[in-house]
Amino acid sequence: MSAQEVIEHFLHGQIECWNNGDKEGFFEHYRRMSPAGLSIEYVGRALPTDPWQILEGMWENQQPRFRVEVKETIINGEEAACHHRNALRDGSGGIETIELYRFQDGRLWVRYFIKA
């Protein structure tokens, strides 16, 4: 697989797992892409610094409520930008996000921009 194909597999696979309630698969995508370390930041928000704790919190608090709709995915080299709509599963609305991913030397950096 080319580097771009590996990144595409991660980006689409983790969304598929999220939407299907496959927690083990979701976390496996992150573990596979970050053997040398993971960093997650919600831009403009103070959160715990342990990225695995952040993912656990996301799964626990958000996965039952939201389904992710991919609006756009752009991959350039070792970086990706994604526009997602986090649609409420009850159909009552949603939240737009821009997500930035950087993959380098076995590390993964993620930055979430959430439209208020």
Side-chain angles (χ1 to χ4, degrees), residues 93-108:
I95 300 167
E96 302 293 322
T97 62
I98 300 293
E99 303 177 7
L100 303 179
Y101 297 84
R102 183 166 46 112
F103 308 86
Q104 189 174 25
D105 300 325
R107 291 189 53 84
L108 170 56

Side-chain angles (χ1 to χ4, degrees), residues 18-99:
W18 177 274
N19 287 339
N20 292 329
D22 179 2
K23 182 178 180 180
E24 184 178 318
F26 178 79
F27 277 82
E28 181 57 30
H29 279 284
Y30 278 88
R31 280 191 293 274
R32 195 174 315 123
M33 295 303 288
S34 62
L38 174 63
S39 173
I40 297 178
E41 175 187 2
Y42 277 83
V43 176
R45 296 185 184 180
L47 288 175
T49 56
D50 179 338
W52 300 105
Q53 183 181 358
I54 293 170
L55 285 178
E56 283 285 350
M58 278 176 42
W59 188 271
E60 176 92 14
N61 299 315
Q62 305 304 326
Q63 194 283 331
R65 299 175 52 218
F66 291 98
R67 175 177 176 76
V68 177
E69 299 171 355
V70 177
K71 297 298 186 182
E72 185 71 45
T73 300
I74 300 169
I75 301 170
N76 286 327
E78 296 179 324
E79 297 190 52
C82 302
H83 173 202
H84 293 157
R85 182 164 203 284
N86 297 273
L88 285 160
R89 292 183 187 271
D90 67 7
S92 65
I95 300 167
E96 302 293 322
T97 62
I98 300 293
E99 303 177 7

